[in-house]
């Protein structure tokens, strides 16, 4: 079985984490769920280059620096997870992929759900993304989030 390689970003600001409400279509992973921004690596592309490209494609923004956090494996998907500070205001980002975006508080992530103004209801956090974010939150003592 071929593994799918993706690069995703934990972008944080004021103790909250930028998440994308994925489109509610059946042919994608975690449809209608909150997740981290990112996507597939293109042939010959490094995970770091991929995550920066994906951020520009999805929200017209990429932080000046990202740092590697972990590699997460879920069945047939390998996620290269990077983190960086979100220096732009969310209202200044341009959502080009997905249904909604929002800064989720750690309490939203722990609860595994958050309200979306766009969908008009509470939507779940994708389980893999929740796991990654909770691991990151647990490691915050070693990460400068100011």
């Amino acid at each position: 079985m071929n593994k799918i390689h993706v690069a995703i970003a934990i972008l944080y600001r004021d103790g909250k984490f930028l998440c994308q409400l994925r489109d509610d279509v059946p042919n994608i992973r975690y449809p209608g769920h909150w997740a981290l921004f990112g996507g597939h690596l293109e042939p010959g592309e490094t995970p770091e280059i991929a995550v920066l490209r994906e951020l520009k494609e999805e929200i017209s923004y990429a932080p000046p620096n990202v740092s590697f956090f972990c590699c997460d494996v879920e069945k047939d998907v390998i996620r290269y997870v990077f983190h960086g500070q979100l220096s732009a205001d969310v209202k200044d980002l341009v959502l080009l992929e997905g249904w909604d975006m929002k800064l989720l508080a750690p309490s939203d992530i722990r609860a595994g759900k958050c309200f979306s103004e766009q969908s008009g209801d509470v939507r779940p956090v994708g389980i893999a993304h929740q796991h990654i974010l909770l691991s990151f939150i647990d490691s915050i003592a070693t990460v400068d989030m100011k």
Side-chain angles (χ1 to χ4, degrees), residues 36-49:
L36 296 167
F37 283 97
H40 292 83
L41 275 67
E42 292 181 357
E45 191 174 46
T46 66
E48 184 174 1
I49 296 298

Side-chain angles (χ1 to χ4, degrees), residues 59-117:
I59 57 174
S60 295
Y61 169 85
N65 300 309
V66 292
S67 299
F68 183 74
F69 173 61
C70 72
C71 190
D72 179 78
V73 179
E74 177 196 21
K75 298 179 186 171
D76 62 335
V77 178
I78 298 174
R79 292 182 186 88
Y80 302 93
V81 184
F82 294 84
H83 67 92
Q85 187 168 357
L86 176 63
S87 57
D89 195 308
V90 174
K91 68 177 177 49
D92 295 328
L93 302 176
V94 179
L95 183 64
L96 299 170
E97 187 174 308
W99 196 0
D100 196 1
M101 70 177 152
K102 185 175 188 174
L103 287 170
L104 273 60
S107 59
D108 298 321
I109 296 160
R110 285 186 189 93
K113 58 187 176 181
C114 186
F115 181 80
S116 165
E117 287 76 11

Side-chain angles (χ1 to χ4, degrees), residues 47-58:
E48 184 174 1
I49 296 298
V51 75
L52 295 172
R53 176 187 52 75
E54 285 286 342
L55 288 170
K56 288 178 185 171
E57 290 175 2
E58 294 180 356

